[in-house]
Amino acid sequence: MGVWIDTDMGGDDIFALLMVARERAIDGVSLTFGVSGLDQVQRNAAGAAAEFGWSFPLFAGCARSLLGESITAEHILGPSGIRTRGRSLPDAELRVPEGAVAALSRWLETQQFAELLALGPLTNLAVLALSRPDILSRIRCLVWMGGSSSTGNHTAHAEFNAVADPEALQVLLSRGVPIRVVDLHACRSVVVTEKDVTAVSAASLLRDLLGGYLDIALERGSQSMALYDPVAAAALIRPDSFTLVPARVDVELADSESRGRTCVDTAIQVGANAEIAANPDVGAVRQMFLSALGVEA
């Protein structure tokens, strides 16, 4: 059975898609603003498809949040939303046959136990939930890389994908969509270093992309970088590599310094609206990741 991926197509998103593609058919990919504006995200997706021979369809989605903001991570990742060490994705143009929400709706109509992976702000999926509540019951699991049970990474309190559109997260939580949250705490458990970069073939663009990704941490004085989206991919394709814990997740919507903060309560006995993917098997997740980049044990 195929899966659907919703993504803002940054560097670690590409790694995550390569991981999923090794294990599952990808029926479609919807694109959202996030690492950069939607136009650049579309260019990233077209270039990645050309480079890696992806044949699954790509659909352009939302360019801004439900409230009209378009927060991006360009201040960290640069205008392309992808850090590199000099090389770049091929220059390609994305031909979009229809909008992402329409395409996702059409796909869900054919599914009974749909699995989705979300690697960016949740705007596309919130629009789906608001416009087609009749098909939400067809979703068996939505795995989302986002939120934090402790400190944030975009602000002191909030993780980027959550703060970019907290109302979208609230829409999904309030409508009973079965969300598996892979938050910053889980992602920070799995890291890559320069040794992993040099293990990737020097002829591969993936080595350059992984090096650029690691440079984010190196420039901050750390020798290792959390994997983020690939950890969420692992929680989709190998959920047995995690401890799945029922939880109550609430998101801060107020226009304050804590906007986008996710409050996670795993002690709750009733009223859970999500599950947290905790305690990743670090070795297993790293092997899945490195194998997708052509590094064999």
Side-chain angles (χ1 to χ4, degrees):
M1 185 176 68
V3 301
W4 189 282
I5 300 179
D6 189 78
T7 172
D8 56 357
M9 204 60 79
D12 61 330
D13 302 69
I14 291 172
F15 305 147
L17 265 71
L18 291 170
M19 289 174 64
V20 175
R22 284 173 59 92
E23 304 288 339
R24 303 283 295 276
I26 299 175
D27 289 343
V29 171
S30 48
L31 304 173
T32 179
F33 75 98
V35 295
S36 189
L38 183 63
D39 287 347
Q40 181 61 51
V41 169
Q42 292 183 71
R43 287 191 286 271
N44 292 350
E51 176 70 21
F52 303 112
W54 293 341
S55 59
F56 44 77
L58 302 161
F59 303 95
C62 295
R64 56 189 59 84
S65 71
L66 292 181
L67 296 186
E69 295 183 303
S70 183
I71 298 172
T72 74
E74 290 179 351
H75 64 292
I76 296 173
L77 302 175
S80 73
I82 299 178
R83 293 284 299 271
T84 77
R85 288 184 171 176
R87 298 178 64 184
S88 60
L89 293 167
D91 187 12
E93 186 173 338
L94 179 62
R95 298 180 179 178
V96 182
E98 63 182 312
V101 175
L104 178 51
S105 298
R106 182 165 49 81
W107 178 74
L108 277 175
E109 288 170 351
T110 70
Q111 306 296 306
Q112 292 297 325
F113 305 103
E115 292 182 300
L116 297 88
L117 175 62
L119 304 173
L122 291 166
T123 314
N124 288 334
L125 298 171
V127 172
L128 170 78
L130 292 169
S131 61
R132 290 295 309 274
D134 58 302
I135 55 176
L136 295 182
S137 62
R138 295 175 180 268
I139 299 175
R140 179 168 69 181
C141 183
L142 165 61
V143 180
W144 177 53
M145 190 275 114
S148 176
S149 55
S150 55
T151 58
N153 63 352
H154 187 71
T155 70
H157 303 282
E159 180 273 333
F160 174 78
N161 291 335
V163 76
D165 197 345
E167 282 75 19
L169 173 57
Q170 179 60 35
V171 164
L172 297 174
L173 290 170
S174 65
R175 281 157 178 77
V177 176
I179 302 179
R180 180 178 301 155
V181 177
V182 186
D183 78 344
L184 291 183
H185 184 70
C187 294
R188 287 167 173 163
S189 302
V190 187
V191 301
V192 290
T193 67
E194 193 67 42
K195 182 178 179 181
D196 298 310
V197 176
T198 57
V200 180
S201 169
S204 172
L205 175 61
L206 290 169
R207 179 170 178 168
D208 190 276
L209 293 177
L210 183 59
Y213 183 70
L214 175 62
D215 286 344
I216 299 169
L218 296 177
E219 291 168 4
R220 298 176 177 180
S222 175
Q223 298 303 303
S224 62
M225 180 67 181
L227 273 181
Y228 298 111
D229 290 342
V231 180
L236 172 75
I237 58 181
R238 284 285 304 278
D240 58 329
S241 297
F242 296 77
T243 302
L244 303 179
V245 184
R248 172 77 188 186
V249 177
D250 293 292
V251 57
E252 178 62 60
L253 302 178
D255 187 13
S256 68
E257 65 177 12
S258 61
R259 177 171 168 78
R261 179 175 62 184
T262 48
C263 300
V264 179
D265 183 359
T266 57
I268 193 168
Q269 299 299 310
V270 294
N273 59 0
E275 64 180 8
I276 305 299
N279 306 318
D281 181 332
V282 173
V285 175
R286 275 180 44 82
Q287 187 54 51
M288 281 186 275
F289 166 72
L290 291 171
S291 293
L293 272 62
V295 178
E296 300 299 335

